[in-house]
């Protein structure tokens, strides 16, 4: 019994003796600093995780389905611009989906305009936002192969792409993990050379997929590869490989994370040079 | 004979000149020839170059009679060579070259033609160069068309004469001297000449040669030697001066390190290091004063350790006096040594040459502070001057673009540094420009700034209250007795103070992002805020210290009473009648003594400095180095990019470091009177931190994202230093003036006030009249008018300086106006020249048909280098006539000369 009392008493006395309230108060500025400095991350956490869980529980639909519903009701079919706008609005005001976003999207548009690719590979279609974005900027007769691993997301992406008015000839959606599809691209899809590759799937897969592309000889001299989110969440191994291998001429377009102001992110632009 | 020969060869437009030349006297021609030689040296060089090239073709292309003539000429020159001195040989060579060239000049056309037809095997580059050479010559000719031709002729005339300075008449010498002077002038103004670099280099080299050769040759006999000697000595002296300058730069400590840092991190980080170096210099002086005039005399000439109670460790502490923990706390043997106030004896004069120790102690105390004031104010004034002159912001980018590179750099590392520094300076300039062009929503910005300041004030008030609260609590603890409380409670004040000092600046930094200031302004605000915070901390510390002093003084009273009782009992015990007998010898360690508050104050300051230094270094090692190591090596196995993402590498915290330095210095100023070892400690600290921080900044930090120019903030640092200096001398002077010194320790023991030492010296060491004068001078009736006068003088100087400033601004405006006017004038002149050119062209076209067929060709060729070949090709070898060539030359230069305007 006395032991129990002691046990109860001990932490209390311990704490009262250990840390005086004044010293604890001195840590207040640190706390405030951390909160203010990393506020964007807190906000992101809230929007991307907490709100999502809450909405999932309330509506019973997945996040992508909710986004699709919104886009369906708030855009004109056949008009890619309005679909992109609707997506942007939903992602910035309602919930968060890590699409490429309008700002980095503009860079992507510009690169596509400059490159004028005929065969484009997209890794990670997710909801089809970036697929629509790329397809919109493609020249006549070009073809986009979009790879998505998740079945549900792929279904929604398909719907979105068709809603934007792109047919099977322009955009082909392949539902499979990227590391399975890439080896088969040459045999199944008769692809000789990819002019443009856009990576926005799992950040850990950037490097293996790039090496697969190299290994299967799908990249020719002058092929452009654009990888999103290389700084946040970040693909350090990918970047380190770029620095070391010397096969590419590359640079990072610095920007902020999509639909968020304070988090820095970058988009890597690589141009395959081949072995010199 | 020769002249005739030449005259035959030359006809056309040169005839007139020649006739004139022939009429002239020889010596004057000689001198002029020398001058001419200098002027046309480049020209000649080109010619000789061309000649060399042409010599290859000579045998194959040249016609027989021309060749023969050349050969005879060569023979004749060769025969004379042995008697000619170097100069004539040169002239000869030149002449020779000219002759060949003359023959070759016609060949140029020929060569061109051949080239065009691809008959000649010589590459096109050669051909082009030739064309270029012709053009250059034309330019030259155009500049001084007549004189140069005169020169050509004269040089040929001069060939038979010898040019020895001894044989020249004074008149000629004068002219030679003039020529040399002209050369010198040319060398000086060469940089501003609108010539191509190659030509400039050639001209420079040749004129230098010329000057070297003839400078020593001037003067006669002994005078000449003296002159040569003088010239040599001036050269040597100049070289020495340059070397000395280099040596001086090499002697500036840490200059290269700072330059390297500046090139990588920008001037803001470098300004911290420069400030640190400056501080080091000041501390060097302070250290010299205290060490040389106080510590060393006392250690050498004062009474040795253990002779009197104040110089002995008391019996109670003797056991642990050598423990590291005690020494680290500056107790034990460290306390009873020259390092602290209490060790010094109040003996008026020590040693064999009667060193006035107490007076020296006092004067050094006052002198260090006075010196610091002087230096700080002087530096501030100098900085203010510099900033006033050098803000010429016009054409900032052009300056940077075209004048940044230092062509003397020969070391690849330095070149890298220079490259980095130019890049950073561009970044700075661009940022500055952006900042000046920015116009945002002014109301929002103002609101945010007010809000930010409000938040910072709240934070400051909060931290001030917290410290106050903690100090009050600690006083309560002290009354209770410290033994009853835990370590945490005992060290609460220090803990809270250092924690607040660490975290509040971070909060300020975060808040200051609201304000959207230019980084330099933001840095100043940040500095100001941290300054306020540190000041609060410092003053709470001083208040706590004052309380401690008061406690000690109460204790002292008790001890004093006890000691008299103890002494009385001692005497009573030994023998009451025998008072004349020497007192019983008691070991000085056993004598009871007072608490000596001065030593206590000194110890507190030393401890504070030590802990502060430790904190700085440990933060550096953990916050910068460890972080950098972790980021670097954990990055291989981490899920996000550590380098670019969250922790990344740290930036160099300029504001925090500068303030640390300033407050540290403030503490030195405050405590140096009671602990003479403080400047030495500080010197050590600064030295170590120079190396440590230089290393840390280069190895663990990344440059700031927004690099900015910090030249303006130097005076800001100085102003803060001045404020701190004032604020830190305030308590020191207060304690010196108001609190009586302890009765049994220190150089002023036994006196009522510390400054009584001056009066004492005046009375005993100076003649009576001096002290009388001094007492009169210190009469308020004299002092007050004097102060009034000083105030008036300051006011007068202030107003005059203001008027000077205004005048400066006016002058600046005037200069600018003049500049603009000049620009306008130049523009007008340029426009006019253009008009002239147009007109000339029209005229030219109009005149064209009237010219002969032979003349037309070179004129066309002169219009542009492109079509020349084609035209040359149209008429080839057969139409070559020497006369035409000679005639066409001056005209060829005409069009380019007009275009040049």
């Amino acid at each position: 019994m006395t032991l129990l009392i002691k046990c109860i008493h001990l932490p209390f006395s311990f704490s009262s003796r250990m840390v005086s309230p004044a010293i604890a108060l001195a840590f207040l500025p640190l706390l405030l600093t951390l909160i203010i400095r990393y506020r964007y991350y807190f906000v992101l956490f809230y929007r991307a995780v907490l709100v999502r869980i809450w909405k999932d529980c309330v509506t019973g639909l997945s996040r992508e389905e909710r986004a699709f519903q919104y886009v369906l009701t708030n855009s004109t079919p056949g008009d890619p611009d309005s679909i992109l706008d609707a997506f942007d609005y939903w992602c910035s005001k309602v919930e968060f989906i890590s699409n490429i976003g309008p700002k980095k999207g503009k860079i992507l548009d510009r690169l596509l305009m400059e490159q004028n690719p005929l065969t484009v590979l997209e890794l990670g279609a997710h909801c089809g936002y970036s697929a629509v974005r790329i397809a919109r900027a493609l020249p006549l007769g070009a073809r986009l192969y979009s790879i998505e691993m998740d079945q549900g997301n792929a279904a929604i992406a398909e719907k979105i792409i068709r809603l934007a008015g792109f047919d099977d000839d322009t955009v082909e959606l392949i539902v499979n993990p990227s590391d399975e599809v890439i080896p088969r691209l040459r045999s199944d899809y008769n692809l000789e050379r990819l002019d443009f590759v856009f990576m926005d799937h799992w950040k850990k897969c950037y490097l293996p997929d790039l090496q697969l592309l190299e290994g299967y000889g799908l990249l020719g001299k002058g092929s452009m590869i654009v990888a999103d989110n290389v700084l946040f969440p970040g693909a350090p191994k990918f970047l380190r490989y770029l620095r070391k291998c010397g096969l590419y001429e590359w640079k990072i377009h610095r920007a902020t994370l999509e639909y968020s102001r304070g988090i820095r992110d970058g988009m890597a632009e690589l141009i395959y040079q081949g072995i010199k | 004979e020769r002249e005739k020969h030449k005259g035959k060869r030359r006809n056309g437009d040169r005839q007139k000149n020649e006739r004139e030349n022939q009429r002239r006297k020889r010596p004057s021609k000689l001198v002029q020839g020398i001058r001419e030689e200098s002027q046309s040296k480049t020209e000649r060089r080109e010619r000789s170059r061309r000649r060399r090239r042409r010599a290859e073709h000579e045998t194959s292309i040249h016609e027989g009679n021309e060749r023969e003539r050349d050969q005879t000429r060569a023979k004749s020159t060769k025969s004379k060579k042995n008697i000619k001195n170097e100069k004539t040989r040169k002239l000869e060579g030149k002449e020779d070259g000219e002759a060949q060239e003359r023959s070759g000049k016609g060949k140029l056309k020929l060569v061109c033609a051949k080239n065009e037809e691809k008959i000649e095997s010589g590459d096109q580059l050669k051909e082009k160069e030739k064309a270029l050479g012709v053009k250059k010559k034309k330019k030259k000719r155009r500049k001084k068309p007549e004189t140069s031709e005169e020169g050509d002729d004269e040089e040929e005339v001069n060939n038979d004469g010898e040019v020895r300075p001894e044989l020249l008449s004074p008149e000629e010498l004068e002219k030679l001297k003039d020529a040399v002077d002209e050369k010198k002038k040319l060398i000086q103004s060469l940089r501003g000449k609108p010539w191509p670099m190659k030509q400039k280099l050639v001209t420079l080299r040749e004129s230098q040669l010329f000057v070297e050769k003839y400078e020593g040759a001037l003067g006669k006999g002994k005078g000449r030697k003296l002159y040569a000697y003088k010239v040599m000595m001036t050269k040597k002296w100049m070289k020495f001066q340059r070397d000395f300058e280099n040596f001086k730069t090499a002697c500036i400590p840490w200059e290269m390190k700072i330059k390297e840092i500046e090139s990588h991190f920008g001037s803001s980080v470098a300004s911290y290091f420069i400030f640190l170096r400056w501080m080091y210099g000041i501390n060097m002086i302070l250290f010299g004063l205290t060490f040389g005039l106080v510590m060393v005399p006392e250690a050498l000439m004062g009474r040795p350790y253990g002779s009197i109670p104040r110089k002995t460790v008391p019996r109670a502490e003797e056991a642990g006096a050598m423990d590291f923990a005690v020494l680290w706390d500056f107790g034990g043997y460290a306390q009873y040594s020259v390092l602290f106030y209490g060790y010094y004896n109040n003996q008026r004069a020590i040693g064999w040459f009667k060193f006035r120790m107490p007076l020296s102690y006092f004067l050094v105390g006052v002198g260090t502070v006075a010196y610091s004031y002087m230096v700080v104010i002087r530096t501030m004034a100098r900085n203010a001057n510099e900033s006033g002159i050098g803000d010429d912001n016009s054409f900032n980018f052009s300056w940077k673009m075209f004048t940044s590179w230092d062509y003397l750099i020969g070391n690849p590392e330095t070149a890298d540094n220079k490259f980095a520094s130019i890049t950073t300076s561009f970044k700075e300039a661009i940022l500055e420009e952006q900042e000046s062009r920015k116009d945002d929503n002014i109301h929002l910005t103002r609101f945010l700034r007010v809000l930010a300041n409000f938040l910072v004030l709240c934070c400051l008030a909060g931290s001030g209250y917290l410290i106050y609260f903690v100090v009050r609590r600690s006083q309560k603890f002290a009354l209770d007795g410290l033994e009853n409380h835990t370590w945490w409670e005992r060290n609460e004040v220090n803990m809270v103070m250092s924690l607040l000092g660490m975290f509040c600046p971070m909060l300020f930094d975060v808040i200051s992002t609201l304000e959207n200031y230019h980084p330099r302004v933001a840095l100043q605000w940040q500095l100001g805020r941290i300054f306020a915070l540190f000041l609060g901390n410092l003053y709470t510390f001083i208040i706590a210290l004052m309380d401690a002093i008061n406690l000690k003084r109460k204790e002292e009273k008790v001890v004093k009473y006890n000691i008299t009782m103890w002494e009385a009992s001692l005497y009573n015990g030994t023998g009451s009648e025998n008072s004349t007998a020497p007192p019983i010898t008691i070991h000085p360690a056993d004598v009871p003594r007072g608490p000596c508050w001065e030593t206590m104050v000194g110890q507190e300051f030393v401890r504070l400095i030590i802990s502060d230094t430790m904190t700085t270094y440990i933060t550096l090692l953990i916050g910068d180095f460890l972080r950098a190591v972790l980021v670097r090596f954990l990055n291989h196995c981490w899920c996000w990019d550590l380098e670019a993402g969250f922790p990344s590498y740290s930036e160099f915290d300029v504001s925090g470091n500068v303030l640390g330095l300033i407050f540290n210095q403030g503490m030195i100023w405050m405590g140096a009177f009671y602990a003479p070892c403080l400047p030495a400690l500080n010197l050590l600290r600064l030295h170590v931190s120079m190396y440590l921080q230089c290393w840390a900044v280069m190895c663990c930090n990344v440059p700031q994202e927004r690099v900015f120019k910090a030249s303006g903030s130097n005076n800001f640092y100085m102003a803060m230093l001045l404020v701190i200096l004032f604020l830190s001398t305030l308590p020191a002077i207060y304690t010196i003036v108001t609190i009586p010194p302890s009765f049994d320790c220190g150089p002023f023991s036994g006196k009522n006030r510390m400054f009584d030492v001056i009066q004492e010296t005046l009375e005993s060491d100076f003649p009576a009249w001096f002290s009388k004068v001094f007492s009169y001078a210190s009469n308020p009736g004299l002092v007050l008018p004097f102060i009034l006068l000083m105030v008036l003088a300051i006011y007068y100087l202030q107003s005059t300086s203001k008027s000077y400033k205004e005048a400066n601004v006016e002058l600046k405006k005037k200069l600018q106006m003049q500049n603009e006017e000049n620009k306008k004038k130049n523009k007008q002149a340029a426009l006019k020249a253009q008009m002239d050119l147009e007109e000339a062209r029209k005229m030219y076209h109009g005149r064209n048909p009237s010219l002969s067929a032979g003349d037309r060709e070179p004129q066309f060729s002169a219009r542009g280098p492109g079509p020349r070949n084609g035209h040359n090709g149209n008429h080839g070898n057969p139409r070559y006539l020497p006369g035409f060539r000679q005639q066409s030359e001056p005209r060829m230069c005409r069009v380019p000369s007009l275009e040049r305007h």
Side-chain angles (χ1 to χ4, degrees), chain A residues 17 20 36 38 240 264, chain B residues 486 488 492 510 635 646 705:
Chain A
R17 197 176 292 167
S20 79
I36 295 173
Y38 299 112
R240 212 169 301 129
R264 306 158 127 253
Chain B
T486 57
W488 288 99
E492 209 175 44
V510 164
N635 203 17
F646 161 52
E705 273 165 54

Side-chain angles (χ1 to χ4, degrees), chain B residues 628-661:
Chain B
V629 166
L630 285 183
V631 166
R632 175 89 183 175
F633 292 106
L634 276 188
N635 203 17
H636 293 291
C637 45
W638 204 260
C639 44
W640 70 77
D641 198 349
L642 289 172
E643 279 178 350
F646 161 52
S648 98
Y649 298 106
S650 51
E651 286 176 3
F652 187 78
D653 176 20
V654 179
S655 54
N657 277 305
V658 164
L659 278 170
L661 206 60

